[in-house]
Each structure stands twice: as structure tokens, then as C-alpha cells.
Amino acid sequence: MRNKFYFLLFFSLLISQLQLSTGFAQVRNDQQTLKINELEYLEMPGLNVMLAHDYYPGGHQSGISIIQNGVRVGSNGDMRLEPTPGPGHAQPKVGKRMVDRERQIISVRMQYPDPEKDRKGFGPIIYPDLNFSYEVKIQPAGKSFRVIVDLDKPLPDEWIGKVGFIFELFPGNLFGKSYYMDQSFGIFPRQANGPGTRNKEGIYEIAPLATGKKLTIAPETERLRITIENLKGNNLQLIDGRALVQSGWYIVRSTVPKDATKNAIEWLITPNALPGWKYDPVVQVSQVGYHPAQQKVAMIELDRADERRFPATLFRVSENGGLEKVLQSTPKEWGNFLRYHYLQFDFSSIQKSGMYQVQYGDYRTQPFQINTQVFKRHVWQPVLEYFLPVQMCHMRINDRSRVWHGLCHMDDARMSLINHNHFDGYIQGPSTLTKYQPGESVPGLNIGGWHDAGDYDMRVESQATEVSILAMAYEQFGVNYDNTTINQETRIVEMQQPDGKNDVLQQIEHGALSVVGGYKSMGRLYRGIIEPTRRQYSHLGDAATMTDNKPYNSKEMGLSFMELQTNNRLINGSSRISGEPNAPDDRWVFTENNPGRELQVAAGMAAAARVLKGYNDELASDCLKLATELWDRTKETNPVQRVELAVELLVTTGDNKYSDFLTKNTADIAKNIARTGWIVGRSLRMIKDSQYHNAIIAAVKAHRALVEEQEKKTPYGMPYEPDIWGAGWGIQDFGVQQYFLHTSFPEIFPETFMLHAMNFVLGVHPGTNTSSFASGVGSKSLTVAYGINRDDWSYIPGGVGSGTALIRPDFPELLEWPYLWQQTEYVLGGGSSNLMFLVLAADKLLNK
């Protein structure tokens, strides 16, 4: 749902710089009163209060955030125009954070509306006819802090009672906990309950849980207790923010009084910081385990103020029960990273097979393996057995007694509107770029492909990249695995039932069918296929219920496509028009002129052509035809964009014109070696040009030095710069690239960077949640994730979440919560298959 492109657009708005150098010395405030620290937030032991370090309100990271006793309890403290803001609602423009250390005030100016939000990629934003500016301030008051909002001018009368300051409380901490609002009280409900009403705009709102002047949250729980007092103006409201979307949080709100400007909002917030609180030590290991020949280092994460040191102990789990101590030593001091201090416990010398646990102080890890067969079973297979089959579009997915989803989207797809800014990055320009008119059904699109894992759209680059990584895994490791029946004629998948065919090839075929089908119908690639309405876009049910599976007939309906797109029933109402047999619910197909993407997709199809030969010769021929035609007609301005396709076509065809292109562009390739090195390594054996070889090898050596320098900044043995979005997918990409750098240049790049990347995803990553990002893989893993079944608080085996995210500037977080896409979302395009590749690579390299 929130793809990398979408995130990068948000990222451009972020206003603070993250300091990650291990030499950065943060001065800790050990007094029991809040003070502004060097990172420009309020701090005391057990309490941090940030203002405008993050600006990602859709991901519940913006405005004022509170971290209390090591737990983020709330965020998004800001002025909003609705009681429960949701997708498409207006957001303010954020100014520069200002820090007045003398007066101990942190402030930021905001302004409605923010026209930047309506630029490319965000889709249409609802902008009411209201312009106002304001300043949000936080100021310590002993163990409490004040929130003050000053408006530049009073609100118009028609906005009184609508505009208010909100603070969102993370529900996962509070289910079943109690609250007091003045003399009323209750329990935070597990699900959103009525009664509710529709406001004047027709939007459904749940009645507040409570109203009053003073709210006490979780009074029975010392670690989570917070008191919020409204010092002036209207009452506080405690609202269940899940009226419109399941992903909402609880909201504390007070509206702006009539004629208010100075101190229009003034709250006093008192989180209960436990006296002398320190972060408990955490030990991070691979939840799967290690090969005996592999470097094995447990990371120990400590509070920076924790001066205690304990021995680290490795226990072997005895076959007869109990634990046997096999190694005990003083961990090595590594240094500071983010807000923590790190120790390293190296147990690489232990090679005896068995189950093991590491203990430091009172913390003991989950059991993990040391075994030459550790990567042979239960690690990469769930990607192929579960995750990819579940994501298959245009199929019915049976899993023994379960149906993951029925036959879906057989009405794909209608040509998008022109001059249209959709949502989730989809934009159609002034032409369809095809012979099809807006609203016209395009044939050849209701076959193959995978749903984007967090929702149901299909981006062409995701389809092609998935095909590419599977093709590389098939070629590099000779994967021959069959545990799924896939029948393209009956459109039925039977999981856990072999059919005598290689599952990897069947999945490659499924992805290629979608890309080739669109290309043959339209004479060009599709940009993507996505739902026409936001209601469908946020669909949480069976994919088969999103549309009626019947191509829409506009003549039968008697409405033109242009008329339908303005029809509120379609855009904002039900995902299908109730009671009407001919529903305009078909997904839309978008096109674009994007040379870089065309060349990227063509590279994936060139790889598919090689591996499908002998399995599906007709499709293999179509893939190669697509790749060579795009090679001939695509007009890019940067030759580096063509390098991957040149290498894939060289390997596939052996044609000298592709090697000639590479040698001709040696300088550009070498200059961009961080991007191209892992790709062109495979070309060296096919190109005898010594100048080309020498330039590439010299550039790769320089790149190795850069990677080593970046590695030194983190304790995790590889470059890692955390962001709002979890870094797991990027680290997997890095790991795959490192495999090819190692195998192509073994004297320059070691295998360790790749293995560290794999371990990071499997549990060796920052924060208290040491789960494997791969659901169902390892002793402890993500079992509540942002997949198509997220509303069931469940997971898809083999899906790999985005992973530990950063609450800026320095707090790593991985919540057990199914609705934070930046932490637990699955994606297509290598998000899970890259882990499959890394595990297969580790098994090959360590068992050679």
C-alpha cells in the first residue's frame, strides 16, 4: 500500500538530520526533570518528548511524540481539521523546528493548507476552504510538559468546534486498560464500538468514550500511566479513532474556542516516568541459527547509562533436557549507535551441532541452531510454499481446508482516466498512450501476476523484479522444489500438493504472463493496475469480493466513464454499486513514458526468457521479444539505466551488440559502480576487453573501501542507516548485491557482508523486538503483519516485513501491530524472495 516511491515523497519533507556516527556523544539528562538535550527533544530518565522530528502523519509519526519508559505511547500531536483524520484528509505544512534553550521551549510553525501534498504521487487531497497558521510549543514543567498552540488569527465561525488539537495514543498498549476522565471511567475497547452518528458532512463519527478536563490513562499500570489536563478552553474528548479505518488509534482532542489566538490550546501532560528507569539489556541473534563455519556474533544492546557488565554465556540445549554451558566470556565493547550502547559476544569458535541459547544478565534468547543443515528446511521454503501462492492474482488459492482467496479480478482492467492524479503514486497523463480510450476494457490483463502484498494493486516493476530474483535463484542455486499445484487453465492453486512441476518456474511463468499479456495488448508496458476507489484500495477481505469479476459494460449501464468517475457511489461509497448487476468496479490500468522503468522491466523479462526455455517456450520467446524490442526503441538519457538489460541480454543471447554497449560505456559504469558493480560482474567472463576488466575491477576495489567505511558506523557488520521506513528490504537488496560482488570478485568482496544482511533480517537488528522479519521463519518471527489478512491480526508464512523503523531521531521500533506499513508490510518485487535468495546463497557458500 505504501510503496518505496510513496515513502520517498514523504521523506523529502522531513526536516531533521539523523546523526548516526559512533563518535556522536549524547549528553544524558540524569535529573528527574525534563530538559532539552543535544538532539533537540525533551528528556529525563524514562521519558522523551519529541516535536517535529518526524513528519509522517499517515504512519502515526509526526507532531508531538512521547516515549515513556522505553515505549512509544503516542504521537501525531498536532492541529487537525477532523476528530479522526484519515487518508486523503488535509495536512499542514511544517516549518523549521526552533529550540530556545534559555527558555526551554521547542516550537514549530505550521500552516494549512500544504499545497506540496497535492503534488505527484499523493493523489487528490481534501482541502477545505480554510487557511490558517499556528505555532505548536512544548515546554518542560518539572516532570510534566506543557503543550501550547498559538493561532495567528481567530478561526472563522463556521470552523468553531471542528478544528482541534489531537494526540494519538497507541492502541496496542491500551487494550483492556482503564481510564478516568474526571469522574467517569471505562476500559479501552479491543474493537471500535458504537453508538455513532453522521456529522453535517455525512462522515460517520463514534461518540466520544469520555469528555472532561482531566484524563488519566492506564492508572493501574505504572509504566504506561499518563495524565492529560486541559488548562483552558473546551473539554478534552477521548475518541476511538477507528470509526473510519481499522488502523486508527485512540485520540485525545480539544477544539479551539471562539475568538482564541494566544494559548488557544494549553495542555499539561504528565507521563509517569519510573524513577531511575533504564533500558533492560537485549540480546540479538539469528532466530534461525548459524552454519558451523559462519561468523557468529550476538549483539547486546544496553542503555547508555547502564555501567553494569555481565559475562555473556552460550548454552547448548541438551538432548536429555537442560542447558550445558559451552562458552562464557566478557563481551567486547563496540560503542554507541542510535540511543543505545552495544556489546558483541563472538561465539564463532563453537561448531558442534545442536540447539543453543545466549544469556546476558536476565535476558536469554530463543533457541537457535548451529548445524550444517540449518538453511536446508523451514527457512526459504515458506516464501515459495505460502507467500507467493497467496499473492497470486487471477487465481483461486486453496490451502487444504482453507481458501486464501477466491478467483479474483477477472474483469481486469479498464483504461484509466487521462489527466488524472490517482492515489498511491498512480498518475495518467494527457493520453492513454495506447489505442484504448479511457474506460475501455483492455484485454490480456486478467492473467498472471501477484498482488502487492499489503493490498491488491500490481506495479509492473514489482512483477518484473519478482521474476528477476526468482530467475537468478533458479540459475545460481539450481532450485528444484515442488510442493504446490498451479493450473493456469482452471485458475486453481492447491498449496501443499505437488504437481510434478518446479514451483520456481511456475511462479516465474505467472509473473511473466502478466507483463507479457499487457505488452501484447497495448503495445507497451502497463505502469500498474489498481482499484478505482479508495474503498476498494483499503479492502481487507477476500480479493474475490473486491469486484464482480465481470468486465463493465458502459453501454448497458448508460453512463460514460467520465460521468462514472464523478459518481460518489463509485469514488467514495461502496466498493461495488449495491444491487446493480453491471458494476463499474473493475480495476484501472495506467500507462506512462518512463524509459528507466521500461529498461528495468525488460531486464527481468530477458532473465525469464532464459529460464523458461524448455518449460514454456512460447512464453520464453515472448519475453525475449519484449526485452529486445524495448532495447531497440527505448530512449533514455542516462546510459547507466541500460546496463542491467545489456547484461541480461548478453547472457541470454550472447549477441556482441550488448557487450559492445558495455565496453563503450565503461567510464559511466565504473563511475556508478555502487549501482552497477554487482550487475556487470557476470559480464566479465563474456567480454575479453582488458580495458573494461581493469576499469571495473579498480572501481570495485574503491567501492569495497566505501562499504567498509560505512560498515564501521554500525555494530551490525554492514552499512545501515535507519529511517522512518524499516530498512529490511533495502538490507536484503544489499545482501543480494553482495552475493554477486563476492562471487564475481571473490578476492575483493568477502561473503560476510551478505551473511550479516541475512542475519539482520533474521533477528540481529536494533530494538526490543528481536523477531525475524520473515513470518513463520525462526524461533520468533513477525506473526502480526501488514498483509492481506492484517485485519485478522495474522500473517502469511514466508512474507518478509519492512522491519524495525526509526522514530526520529534515535528510537528504533518494531511494534506488534498489523497496520503500520512502514514496520510490518509485505511487498512484492523481492521483499520476500530476496530472503529466499540470501538463504540459498548462504547454504551454497557455507557448504561448498
Side-chain angles (χ1 to χ4, degrees), residues 285-287 289-290 294-297 375 718 752 754-765 835 838:
V285 297
S286 167
Q287 298 292 346
Y290 304 86
Q294 187 178 352
Q295 185 184 39
K296 299 178 279 290
V297 179
F375 303 124
M718 59 175 187
T752 51
M754 183 206 80
L755 296 173
H756 292 158
M758 177 185 70
N759 286 342
F760 187 96
V761 174
L762 295 177
V764 188
H765 49 72
L835 177 65
L838 289 176

Side-chain angles (χ1 to χ4, degrees), residues 528-691:
I529 302 170
I530 190 172
E531 304 78 21
T533 70
R534 287 189 180 273
R535 178 72 179 268
Q536 290 169 284
Y537 177 61
S538 58
H539 182 76
L540 293 175
D542 189 326
T545 64
M546 181 179 289
T547 75
D548 60 11
N549 271 337
K550 298 176 181 178
Y552 173 68
N553 185 334
S554 60
K555 294 181 181 179
E556 181 180 321
M557 189 73 171
L559 291 174
S560 72
F561 191 51
M562 296 299 183
E563 291 171 322
L564 283 170
Q565 68 93 14
T566 61
N567 189 321
N568 286 334
R569 294 180 302 172
L570 175 62
I571 298 299
N572 297 315
S574 172
S575 60
R576 288 165 62 179
I577 298 180
S578 178
E580 295 174 352
N582 181 29
D585 53 10
D586 313 19
R587 292 193 297 187
W588 294 358
V589 58
F590 287 72
T591 59
E592 64 176 353
N593 281 318
N594 188 324
R597 193 160 6 243
E598 290 176 354
L599 295 168
Q600 175 192 1
V601 172
M605 293 303 101
R610 291 197 302 272
V611 300
L612 288 174
K613 190 174 182 179
Y615 176 77
N616 184 332
D617 287 335
E618 182 180 354
L619 184 57
S621 177
D622 287 338
C623 288
L624 184 57
K625 183 174 185 289
L626 181 156
T628 54
E629 286 183 356
L630 289 180
W631 171 274
D632 290 338
R633 78 184 193 200
T634 301
K635 306 298 182 184
E636 79 284 5
T637 57
N638 181 0
V640 174
Q641 293 178 315
R642 190 176 286 263
V643 169
E644 183 178 9
L645 178 55
V647 171
E648 293 297 349
L649 285 174
L650 176 62
V651 176
T652 301
T653 69
D655 193 321
N656 287 335
K657 71 177 180 180
Y658 305 117
S659 58
D660 290 344
F661 168 84
L662 292 170
T663 55
K664 179 182 177 181
N665 290 279
T666 299
D668 284 328
I669 293 171
K671 184 179 179 180
N672 294 275
I673 202 67
R675 177 177 171 183
T676 62
W678 72 279
I679 298 169
V680 299
R682 289 184 296 149
S683 72
L684 295 183
R685 62 183 176 82
M686 303 182 71
I687 298 176
K688 305 306 180 183
D689 187 298
S690 60
Q691 184 179 358

Side-chain angles (χ1 to χ4, degrees), residues 91-103:
Q91 300 169 8
K93 182 176 182 178
V94 182
K96 181 180 179 181
R97 183 176 59 254
M98 306 299 293
V99 178
D100 185 336
R101 295 186 181 276
E102 183 176 347
R103 298 167 59 207

Side-chain angles (χ1 to χ4, degrees), residues 107-182:
S107 63
V108 62
R109 284 192 59 79
M110 311 275 205
Q111 176 185 349
Y112 276 96
D114 181 2
E116 289 295 309
K117 284 294 185 302
D118 204 22
R119 71 186 192 280
K120 290 184 177 181
F122 285 88
I125 302 295
I126 302 169
Y127 284 129
D129 185 18
L130 175 67
N131 290 272
F132 77 103
S133 301
Y134 60 97
E135 184 179 38
V136 178
K137 297 180 283 189
I138 57 174
Q139 183 177 32
K143 298 180 182 180
S144 308
F145 68 96
R146 279 187 168 81
V147 177
I148 300 167
V149 180
D150 295 334
L151 273 59
D152 287 0
K153 59 183 180 180
L155 291 173
D157 287 348
E158 63 268 25
W159 285 94
I160 299 302
K162 296 181 180 180
V163 177
F165 186 85
I166 71 169
F167 183 68
E168 299 186 355
L169 304 171
F170 175 56
N173 297 333
L174 298 177
F175 291 144
K177 301 290 194 300
S178 69
Y179 62 83
Y180 275 92
M181 179 76 85
D182 297 344

Side-chain angles (χ1 to χ4, degrees), residues 116 132 206 244 360 501 617 650 742 772 779 830:
E116 289 295 309
F132 77 103
I206 294 177
L244 300 178
Y360 178 85
K501 299 179 181 179
D617 287 335
L650 176 62
H742 169 66
S772 160
S779 299

Side-chain angles (χ1 to χ4, degrees), residues 203-228:
I203 305 299
Y204 176 73
E205 295 178 354
I206 294 177
L209 300 173
T211 60
K213 292 294 185 183
K214 181 179 179 180
L215 171 66
T216 303
I217 300 156
E220 74 278 18
T221 306
E222 294 289 306
R223 187 176 184 184
L224 297 176
R225 185 171 69 245
I226 305 174
T227 299
I228 301 177

